[in-house]
Amino acid sequence: MAKTKTYYFCRDCGYQSASWLGRCPECGKFGTFDEEVLKAESGKRKSEGGNILSAPKRLQEVTYSQTPRLCTHCGELDRVLGGGIVPGSLLLLGGEPGIGKSTLLLQMALALANHRLLYVSGEESEEQIKMRADRLCSSEVGSRKAEVGSRKPDGSDLSPQTSDLYVVSETVTQRIFEHIDAVHPELLIVDSIQTITTEDLDSPAGSVSQIRQCTTEFQHYAKTTGVPVLLIGHITKDGTLAGPKVMEHIVDAVLQFEGDRNYGYRVLRALKNRFGSTAEIGIFEMQEGGLREVENPSEFLMSHRDESLSGSAVSATLEGARPMFVEVQSLVSSAVYGTPQRNANGFDLRRMNMLLAVLEKRCGFKLGVKDVFLNLAGGLRVSDPAMDLAVACAILSSNVDMAISPRDCFAAELGLNGEVRPVSRVEQRIAEADRLGFERIFVSKYNGREIDRRRYHIQIVAAGVIEEVFRALFA
Ligand code: TYD
Ligand code: MG
């Protein structure tokens, strides 16, 4: 009989302890310890790569083959990955349930029709995957290839058409690796890691030790064979990846798929990427027939508004290397209750409170007795500091009830003394504003010097303090 041992794991950070603890010494959270039973021999299991001899080498002796990245045929996904999937990499795609993780990866798999892929699902049956694939294929958005079909690993067709996308519904890693031996895929997709278990452990699917063990097994497979593995992971209510932090350390890249359910837009970000930048974002729109790539995000971030409406200002922000024009809307009204209400959608509330204090002090508005609401059009969350000036101007515009021209835009940070501070890559923002047909852009005068004004048609207003911007807009 197998000897068993009981351990306690922190649900949050994966800290392991021999006894139950009320407070995790690692992450400091209370009541996060779960009991898990491990079979004693799990540690003795021989690893498949045990026969590979490793020895230290001089750096100049190390050679590597220039295997190109696997291009996913999805521009937005490639952008976030840093130009495609690196061979032998282990990627984790996280997101709330229903946000579209399975759709995104299945759509990618369908577009990669000339590669041999294995899609392992622990959540859906083969028939359900096929139904989703048909739905994606029946629209132009979902896939460019109509002749895509899918097969079970034993070779029986799920559809009369054939391609090299194999699907299987399976939850045990040992059997997944048997399927891999039969199929020899070039890319493995696992949906989702929380449903996968290994026979070596007795703990339930989704527990810390299972997730950690299964992720390690897939990592081992990816590193020894060079086949990239894409794992789907769930996200808990507070926005962290369900499962321990250790999973984030094991994988090469953590991508997060997020968005507001009320809007069709989805944003893909890299929280960690060993092979690319984490500043890039990919934007998609969820449509009836799947996810559509949004190449020009400014199209939905600016509402088409009436010129006479006050409280709106357009910010020239950058996400990664890509300029995005976001419309900030604000409503300032007299507070009905003793404590004024403050609310910000898509913008940091504390930052907004700080900007309100600056406006109160520098521009002399009694904003402390007003309700202030702020909203970014399109439901996007933006953290670029260059948003500050647009936010301040939208609030001022609503407060004095005078409209800002829709052909004005802003790109500057605000300091605590009301100074208009420079932002990074201002030329790129100006060039994009020029291209989109804006007539004026407000920037910091400290940015102003580096700009070659002759290159643009757009009028560049360089300001030193917020009062100057206020006078230029409303005087
Ligand atoms: P799904 O990929 O199942 O989410 P996840 O795997 O992240 O849990 O996406 C489910 C949602 O996407 C569902 O609410 C319906 C919507 N959807 C569309 O709007 N169009 C489509 O073509 C597909 C396949 C899904
Ligand atoms: Mg899913």
Side-chain angles (χ1 to χ4, degrees):
M1 209 185 87
K3 246 170 108 189
T4 56
K5 246 188 168 157
T6 307
Y7 282 107
Y8 296 84
F9 288 96
C10 170
R11 227 174 294 134
D12 243 63
C13 68
Y15 183 83
Q16 184 180 345
S17 160
S19 59
W20 189 85
L21 298 174
R23 177 175 186 265
C24 176
E26 185 82 16
C27 63
K29 294 231 171 100
F30 287 92
T32 55
F33 275 81
D34 285 335
E35 177 182 347
E36 287 179 24
V37 182
L38 309 183
K39 267 192 209 158
E41 79 267 86
S42 67
K44 280 186 273 158
R45 205 175 56 95
K46 252 182 36 205
S47 86
E48 299 98 282
N51 52 355
I52 297 173
L53 284 180
S54 63
K57 283 183 194 161
R58 284 210 184 83
L59 188 59
Q60 56 269 41
E61 288 166 13
V62 180
T63 54
Y64 58 91
S65 55
Q66 279 278 0
T67 327
R69 290 183 183 226
L70 179 67
C71 172
T72 63
H73 299 294
C74 170
E76 297 294 298
L77 186 58
D78 279 341
R79 179 204 301 276
V80 177
L81 288 168
I85 302 174
V86 173
S89 61
L90 182 65
L91 310 174
L92 175 66
L93 174 67
E96 282 174 36
I99 202 80
K101 303 178 292 295
S102 310
T103 309
L104 177 68
L105 292 193
L106 187 63
Q107 204 170 315
M108 182 200 81
L110 292 172
L112 281 170
N114 46 353
H115 293 271
R116 188 179 273 258
L117 311 179
L118 179 60
Y119 187 105
V120 180
S121 181
E123 300 194 341
E124 287 158 285
S125 66
E126 287 106 358
E127 288 73 19
Q128 284 171 321
I129 303 171
K130 176 69 179 143
M131 270 160 60
R132 190 196 292 256
D134 282 343
R135 184 170 167 192
L136 294 172
C137 289
S138 60
S139 74
E140 311 154 50
V141 183
S143 176
R144 283 132 271 208
K145 296 241 177 343
E147 75 276 10
V148 184
S150 26
R151 275 191 277 175
K152 289 190 182 188
D154 61 17
S156 62
D157 278 3
L158 285 176
S159 77
Q161 315 109 340
T162 49
S163 88
D164 267 349
L165 172 60
Y166 290 80
V167 294
V168 64
S169 177
E170 182 57 73
T171 55
V172 180
T173 53
Q174 278 76 6
R175 273 196 294 277
I176 294 175
F177 285 113
E178 282 169 25
H179 294 318
I180 290 173
D181 286 339
V183 175
H184 288 294
E186 293 167 53
L187 175 75
L188 176 68
I189 298 171
V190 180
D191 184 7
S192 65
I193 188 71
Q194 275 85 6
T195 58
I196 307 291
T197 53
T198 170
E199 282 171 348
D200 292 339
L201 303 176
D202 280 341
S203 40
S207 63
V208 173
S209 47
Q210 283 287 4
I211 291 178
R212 181 157 54 181
Q213 180 66 26
C214 296
T215 313
T216 314
E217 286 180 23
F218 286 119
Q219 182 204 27
H220 183 80
Y221 165 71
K223 298 296 170 220
T224 50
T225 59
V227 175
V229 179
L230 278 162
L231 304 174
I232 290 180
H234 292 288
I235 259 177
T236 55
K237 253 203 193 123
D238 57 352
T240 52
L241 279 165
K245 268 264 183 257
V246 279
M247 187 159 70
E248 288 182 37
H249 298 307
I250 300 172
V251 299
D252 294 307
V254 182
L255 309 182
Q256 185 163 318
F257 207 35
E258 57 189 32
D260 195 318
R261 271 161 199 262
N262 303 327
Y263 298 93
Y265 296 99
R266 303 282 183 268
V267 177
L268 185 69
R269 300 176 193 271
L271 302 182
K272 159 183 175 177
N273 193 350
R274 289 195 179 135
F275 314 111
S277 149
T278 52
E280 295 295 341
I281 64 167
I283 301 179
F284 298 87
E285 185 184 0
M286 182 61 95
Q287 294 185 339
E288 260 311 293
L291 291 158
R292 179 181 74 91
E293 296 174 45
V294 178
E295 271 138 38
N296 178 17
S298 304
E299 74 191 48
F300 74 89
L301 295 171
M302 287 190 286
S303 60
H304 303 281
R305 64 178 156 119
D306 199 308
E307 289 198 17
S308 60
L309 290 182
S310 67
S312 275
V314 177
S315 174
T317 66
L318 273 182
E319 281 286 348
R322 176 162 54 169
M324 278 195 325
F325 283 68
V326 187
E327 184 180 328
V328 184
Q329 294 177 334
S330 157
L331 177 66
V332 179
S333 63
S334 305
V336 190
Y337 305 106
T339 325
Q341 296 187 66
R342 300 282 155 85
N343 206 340
N345 267 335
F347 190 74
D348 183 9
L349 185 61
R350 276 172 299 173
R351 184 100 198 146
M352 184 181 90
N353 283 331
M354 187 215 90
L355 293 175
L356 289 174
V358 172
L359 294 179
E360 175 132 9
K361 182 99 178 165
R362 308 298 304 189
C363 298
F365 291 115
K366 293 273 163 281
L367 291 167
V369 294
K370 300 278 176 80
D371 287 342
V372 180
F373 305 97
L374 196 76
N375 187 35
L376 300 196
L380 202 74
R381 181 169 57 83
V382 184
S383 53
D384 185 354
M387 292 280 298
D388 284 1
L389 191 57
V391 170
C393 290
I395 292 170
L396 288 179
S397 159
S398 178
N399 192 47
V400 298
D401 201 16
M402 284 170 74
I404 297 172
S405 159
R407 287 173 294 279
D408 284 347
C409 63
F410 305 86
E413 196 182 330
L414 273 191
L416 285 180
N417 296 323
E419 74 271 26
V420 179
R421 293 166 59 176
V423 290
S424 62
R425 288 193 271 180
V426 73
E427 291 252 5
Q428 200 180 344
R429 301 174 199 258
I430 294 172
E432 182 70 7
D434 202 21
R435 201 182 64 77
L436 289 175
F438 283 94
E439 285 169 7
R440 271 197 305 185
I441 182 165
F442 289 77
V443 296
S444 162
K445 72 175 180 193
Y446 306 103
N447 262 141
R449 294 192 197 110
E450 55 192 80
I451 303 163
D452 180 7
R453 286 166 191 261
R454 282 161 302 174
R455 283 173 52 199
Y456 310 105
H457 299 293
I458 191 168
Q459 186 194 343
I460 298 165
V461 186
V465 283
I466 179 74
E467 293 97 310
E468 290 173 34
V469 181
F470 179 69
R471 264 182 264 121
L473 285 173
F474 306 113

